[in-house]
Amino acid sequence: MEKILLLVCVSFLLTVPSNAISSCNGPCKTLNDCDGQLICINGKCNDDPDVGTHICKGGGTTPSTPPPSGNCPLSGERSCKEKSFPTKYKCSPPVTSSTKAQLTLNDFSEGGEGGDPSECDEKYHAKSERVVALSTGWFDGRSRCGKMIKITASNGRSVTAKVVDECDTLHGCDREHGFLPPCENNIVDGSDAVWEALGLNKDLGIVPVTWSMA
């Protein structure tokens, strides 16, 4: 009896068309294998990031990779030599009471690596000022300009700092941006004073932190 059932199952699988329409996370080989506005990504039908659909919750990730927070993928390496960035990030992970981020070091003073004056107040800021720039999504169209955020390092130390600039995730490699590549979408770009208040080694250049509105 078991052999008969097995033969029936095999026979059924062999008769299923190879281009059968699949729904979210269903198997696929071509775009035609996926239903509606879904596309085939890494052999699975998922949302089309170019269209911005949110039919599936996977966000275009493979089963072995957890979906990025808020359907906003973290950006990869960018190079000013190429000046070609295949993906632009208009969003950042959702802001919570303990938002995970990467703290980077920036010189907001005139002649510093930050380029033009800070976007919020059109001013330069000394290294001794506790100021930060936020990734485009968190900067939220200048809505956080002048507001204070609380940054907490893995060593348990915290500091408050004022938002004065945007860490642009869409543009870069020009004079306005100090000829630096676009930012990742999870960046809190802090001044020397921020790093010193947190007791962090500035030579590291980038460290994991959490932040929230103060």
Side-chain angles (χ1 to χ4, degrees), residues 185-200:
N185 68 348
N186 63 339
I187 296 296
V188 174
D189 203 18
S191 62
D192 281 52
V194 169
W195 280 70
E196 291 166 0
L198 292 172
L200 299 173

Side-chain angles (χ1 to χ4, degrees), residues 141-193:
R142 299 173 62 94
S143 70
R144 290 195 166 94
C145 275
K147 295 184 178 180
M148 303 296 292
I149 67 170
K150 179 182 178 182
I151 307 165
T152 303
S154 57
N155 60 15
R157 296 179 66 169
S158 297
V159 65
T160 57
K162 181 189 291 187
V163 178
V164 298
D165 206 356
E166 173 186 11
C167 198
D168 200 330
T169 63
L170 299 174
H171 311 94
C173 301
D174 53 18
R175 185 190 60 78
E176 179 183 352
H177 299 89
F179 297 99
L180 296 173
C183 284
E184 306 279 350
N185 68 348
N186 63 339
I187 296 296
V188 174
D189 203 18
S191 62
D192 281 52

Side-chain angles (χ1 to χ4, degrees), residues 52-133:
T53 54
H54 297 286
I55 302 169
C56 306
K57 295 182 180 180
T61 56
T62 60
S64 61
T65 305
S69 183
N71 275 339
C72 193
L74 299 181
S75 51
E77 295 181 1
R78 277 94 184 284
S79 172
C80 279
K81 292 181 180 179
E82 296 177 0
K83 293 188 179 180
S84 176
F85 313 108
T87 309
K88 295 182 178 180
Y89 299 86
K90 296 180 180 180
C91 62
S92 293
V95 176
T96 66
S97 59
S98 183
T99 312
K100 292 183 179 180
Q102 294 293 321
L103 178 68
T104 51
L105 180 64
N106 189 26
D107 183 357
F108 295 85
S109 63
E110 187 170 6
E113 62 185 14
D116 283 359
S118 298
E119 185 173 339
C120 291
D121 55 14
E122 294 298 322
K123 296 180 180 179
Y124 292 106
H125 295 271
K127 293 183 177 182
S128 58
E129 294 183 62
R130 294 178 182 177
V131 294
V132 297

